Amino acid sequence: MNLLERRSIRKYKKQEISQELLDYILKCGIRSSNCGTMQLYSIIVTREEEGKKRLAPLHFNQPMVMDCSVVLTVCLDINRFHHWCRINNAEESLRNFLFHNIASIDATICTQAMATAAEEKGLGICYLGTVNYNAKGIAEVLNLPKGVIPVTTLTIGYPDEMPELTERLPMEALVHYEKYNDYSDEDIKRLYSDIEANPKNQAFVKENNLENLAQVFSQVRYNKKDAEYFSQMYKEYMKETFCEI
Amino acid sequence: MNLLERRSIRKYKKQEISQELLDYILKCGIRSSNCGTMQLYSIIVTREEEGKKRLAPLHFNQPMVMDCSVVLTVCLDINRFHHWCRINNAEESLRNFLFHNIASIDATICTQAMATAAEEKGLGICYLGTVNYNAKGIAEVLNLPKGVIPVTTLTIGYPDEMPELTERLPMEALVHYEKYNDYSDEDIKRLYSDIEANPKNQAFVKENNLENLAQVFSQVRYNKKDAEYFSQMYKEYMKETFCEI
C-alpha cells in the first residue's frame, strides 16, 4: 500500500467483493482506536440493489452508490451502550454534545481504517460527504433507532479508473509548528496560487461566469444558503434523536 | 503493517522522530480524502518541552504528552478558507453546523491516515480524547484564531511496550446488513458477556464497589455530570469561535 499515492475511486468494475474480504475490512475498522473501548458506532452494510436504490437519491444520485459493490454507512451509536446501561441499572450518561462529537470522531476513525484496509487489498473507495446533508433521510432508510446518526459513507469496489492525484494545498499551508501562525493576505495568495492556476479550475470559473475560484467554491459548490438549510435539518434531527443542543 | 494487530502505545522510548519521517506522516494525512479538496483542517505539531508542558494539564496530565516524541493536534479550520474568500470578494459560506461536522470529519480522516502511516513505520500512537473536553484551553495554548477548533490529538513515538490487544465487541454487535437490527435484552447480554467476564473488568467493578461493569463506565469513567459540564464548555466555545448553534 502506498498512502501517498492513493486516490478516491468513483468508477467500479462489475465485480463483487467477497464476504471474506469484506469481513477483513470490517475487522480492521473495529481494531482501530476508540474512546474507552465503548465502540460508540455501528456499521451498516448495503449490498442489495433495493437498499442502494433507496440510498441513491439521498446521496444526490451520485453514481457510485449504484455502481460500487458495497456501501458502508458508519453511524455514531449510543443506543447499544445505553441499552447495556439500562438492563444493568446504570445511568445513561452519553446523551450530550460531548459524546455526539466523540462518537462521531470514533465512527470516522473506524471508517478511515476500513478505507485504508480496502485500498491495501487493491480496492477503491470514495467518501460521500452527502451523508451529512441528509442524515435523517438516510437514518429512515437504514431503520436507525434513536441515538444512532449516520456520520460517514464509503463506497467500495474494484477500481475501473486510475484518475490523476487530486490537488492539495502545500504542506506549509496545513502544518504549524508549536503555534498556529495566522496567514497574511500575501500568504494566502501564494498558498492558493497553484490551485488557482490549474486549467481545470480556471475552466470552472469561466463556466460559472465568476471572477475567481474562491467564488466557485463559496457561491456555487458550497454556498451559504444550502449549508444553512442542511445545518438546520441536521440540528432538528439531532435534537429529535440524540440530545438538546 | 498489520491493521488487525495494531494497539495504542502509551509508553515511548526517548528517541526522537526525524523530520523526514514526520514529513512522511504529515503527507500521508494530507493525501487522504477530504470534502471538495477544501482541506478544512490544520495540523499543529508540538515537539518542544515548553509546548508539551502547557498542553499536558489540559490532557489531564496523561503521561503520553510529555513522554512521546511528537504531539499532533488536528483542528477543523475554516479560517484559511474564509480568508481566501475574503480577499477574493467571495462569500464566507462555512460558518454553520454542517461545516462544523464536515470539517471535524475531515480532520479525523486526516488524523487516522497519519496514525496508520506512523504505525506502518514502526512507531506507536495514542489518541487523546481529552482534546474534546478542553478544546478551548488547548486552542489558547496553540494560539488558534476564530474558526479553528481542536478535534483530535495524537501522541507519536517509538514504542517502549507491547500491550495486549484491547477488547472489542464481537463483529455481530457492530455490523448490520441492509437495516439496523435493534437489540433485544438477550442480545445485549450475550454481546457484552465476554467483556463483562474479563477478570480485569471484574476487578474494576470490585474496586469501585459497584454492581457491574456498565455502572463503572457510565457512573465513574464517563459519568453524566462531567459529560454535561464539558458539553456546555464546548458549546460556549463553539458559539464564540465558530457559529451559532
Side-chain angles (χ1 to χ4, degrees):
Chain A
M1 186 184 35
N2 187 336
L3 290 163
L4 293 180
E5 294 291 326
R6 65 153 308 277
R7 53 263 282 163
S8 296
I9 297 294
R10 293 178 173 78
K11 290 188 181 161
Y12 303 104
K13 291 185 181 149
K14 288 205 177 307
Q15 181 183 350
E16 292 302 325
I17 297 170
S18 69
Q19 186 63 43
E20 190 188 353
L21 184 47
L22 178 59
D23 283 345
Y24 170 75
I25 293 166
L26 295 166
K27 279 180 195 158
C28 289
I30 291 168
R31 180 45 58 199
S32 62
S33 298
N34 75 97
C35 177
T37 71
M38 286 187 287
Q39 297 186 268
L40 302 172
Y41 56 79
S42 277
I43 305 163
I44 322 291
V45 179
T46 306
R47 301 196 73 157
E48 291 176 17
E49 183 90 356
E50 170 64 20
K52 289 182 181 175
K53 272 190 185 158
R54 294 187 67 202
L55 286 178
L58 294 159
H59 289 292
F60 304 119
N61 292 309
Q62 293 180 89
M64 296 83 90
V65 176
M66 297 307 300
D67 295 349
C68 73
S69 172
V70 176
V71 181
L72 300 180
T73 307
V74 188
C75 308
L76 63 88
D77 186 343
I78 58 168
N79 169 62
R80 185 195 313 110
F81 182 83
H82 277 176
H83 193 149
W84 183 49
C85 291
R86 219 154 45 233
I87 64 175
N88 280 288
N89 191 31
E91 191 165 43
E92 298 175 30
S93 58
L94 306 185
R95 205 171 285 110
N96 47 63
F97 209 85
L98 178 70
F99 277 96
H100 172 273
N101 291 349
I102 286 177
S104 168
I105 289 165
D106 284 0
T108 308
I109 291 171
C110 171
T111 311
Q112 179 57 17
M114 293 195 290
T116 301
E119 290 175 339
E120 181 197 14
K121 296 295 185 187
L123 298 166
I125 66 98
C126 189
Y127 276 88
L128 306 186
T130 39
V131 68
N132 306 119
Y133 289 65
N134 285 320
K136 184 178 181 173
I138 290 167
E140 283 166 3
V141 165
L142 300 179
N143 205 26
L144 304 184
K146 286 203 174 188
V148 185
I149 301 181
V151 174
T152 63
T153 294
L154 268 190
T155 57
I156 314 182
Y158 286 93
D160 198 22
E161 64 168 352
M162 178 52 95
E164 275 180 47
L165 287 179
T166 47
E167 56 206 2
R168 292 290 184 266
L169 289 165
M171 195 147 79
E172 57 159 331
L174 301 162
V175 179
H176 304 255
Y177 284 84
E178 303 301 324
K179 302 261 183 191
Y180 191 100
N181 297 303
D182 207 354
Y183 312 90
S184 66
D185 290 0
E186 290 315 307
D187 291 335
I188 294 288
K189 280 178 200 163
R190 178 171 41 82
L191 296 169
Y192 281 86
S193 60
D194 282 356
I195 288 180
E196 288 173 342
N198 181 329
K200 236 198 285 191
N201 288 333
Q202 292 192 338
F204 289 128
V205 177
K206 217 172 162 187
E207 272 169 35
N208 285 286
N209 272 317
L210 290 167
E211 292 165 20
N212 55 55
L213 189 64
Q215 292 181 348
V216 174
F217 273 97
S218 75
Q219 285 160 220
V220 182
R221 286 191 202 157
Y222 302 100
N223 70 76
K224 195 169 170 177
K225 198 180 142 209
D226 289 351
E228 288 182 350
Y229 172 77
F230 289 109
S231 294
Q232 194 54 35
M233 296 251 293
Y234 187 90
K235 283 191 280 185
E236 281 166 23
Y237 167 54
M238 182 175 164
K239 280 183 208 170
E240 201 179 293
T241 198
F242 198 88
C243 71
E244 279 305 310
I245 54 175
Chain B
M1 185 186 35
N2 187 337
L3 290 162
L4 293 180
E5 294 291 326
R6 66 154 307 278
R7 53 263 281 162
S8 295
I9 297 294
R10 292 179 174 76
K11 291 188 179 157
Y12 304 104
K13 291 187 181 148
K14 286 202 179 308
Q15 182 184 348
E16 293 302 326
I17 296 170
S18 69
Q19 187 62 44
E20 191 188 352
L21 184 47
L22 178 58
D23 283 345
Y24 170 75
I25 293 166
L26 295 166
K27 278 180 197 159
C28 290
I30 291 168
R31 179 48 55 200
S32 62
S33 298
N34 76 97
C35 178
T37 72
M38 286 187 287
Q39 298 185 268
L40 302 173
Y41 57 78
S42 277
I43 306 163
I44 322 290
V45 179
T46 306
R47 301 196 75 158
E48 291 176 16
E49 183 90 356
E50 170 63 20
K52 289 181 181 175
K53 272 191 185 156
R54 295 187 67 201
L55 285 178
L58 295 160
H59 289 292
F60 304 119
N61 292 310
Q62 292 181 89
M64 295 83 91
V65 176
M66 297 307 301
D67 296 349
C68 72
S69 172
V70 176
V71 182
L72 300 181
T73 308
V74 188
C75 308
L76 63 88
D77 186 343
I78 59 167
N79 169 61
R80 185 196 312 111
F81 182 83
H82 277 176
H83 193 150
W84 183 49
C85 291
R86 222 156 41 235
I87 63 175
N88 280 288
N89 191 31
E91 191 164 42
E92 297 176 30
S93 59
L94 307 184
R95 206 172 284 110
N96 47 63
F97 209 86
L98 178 69
F99 277 95
H100 172 273
N101 291 349
I102 286 177
S104 169
I105 290 165
D106 284 359
T108 307
I109 291 171
C110 171
T111 311
Q112 179 57 18
M114 294 195 290
T116 302
E119 290 175 339
E120 180 197 15
K121 297 295 186 186
L123 297 167
I125 66 100
C126 190
Y127 276 88
L128 306 187
T130 39
V131 67
N132 305 119
Y133 289 66
N134 285 320
K136 185 178 179 171
I138 290 168
E140 282 166 4
V141 166
L142 301 178
N143 205 28
L144 305 184
K146 288 203 173 188
V148 185
I149 301 180
V151 174
T152 63
T153 293
L154 269 191
T155 58
I156 314 183
Y158 286 92
D160 199 23
E161 64 169 353
M162 178 52 95
E164 275 179 47
L165 287 180
T166 47
E167 56 205 3
R168 293 290 185 267
L169 290 164
M171 194 147 80
E172 56 160 330
L174 301 162
V175 179
H176 304 255
Y177 284 84
E178 303 301 325
K179 302 260 184 193
Y180 191 102
N181 297 302
D182 207 354
Y183 312 91
S184 67
D185 291 359
E186 290 315 307
D187 291 334
I188 293 288
K189 281 178 199 161
R190 177 170 43 80
L191 296 170
Y192 281 86
S193 60
D194 282 355
I195 288 181
E196 288 173 342
N198 181 330
K200 236 199 287 192
N201 288 332
Q202 292 191 339
F204 288 128
V205 176
K206 218 172 163 185
E207 271 168 36
N208 286 286
N209 273 317
L210 289 167
E211 293 165 20
N212 54 55
L213 188 64
Q215 291 180 350
V216 174
F217 272 97
S218 75
Q219 283 158 221
V220 182
R221 286 190 203 158
Y222 302 99
N223 70 76
K224 193 170 169 176
K225 198 180 141 209
D226 289 351
E228 286 181 352
Y229 172 76
F230 289 109
S231 294
Q232 193 55 36
M233 296 251 292
Y234 187 90
K235 282 191 279 185
E236 280 166 24
Y237 168 55
M238 183 175 163
K239 280 183 208 170
E240 204 178 290
T241 198
F242 198 88
C243 71
E244 281 304 312
I245 54 176

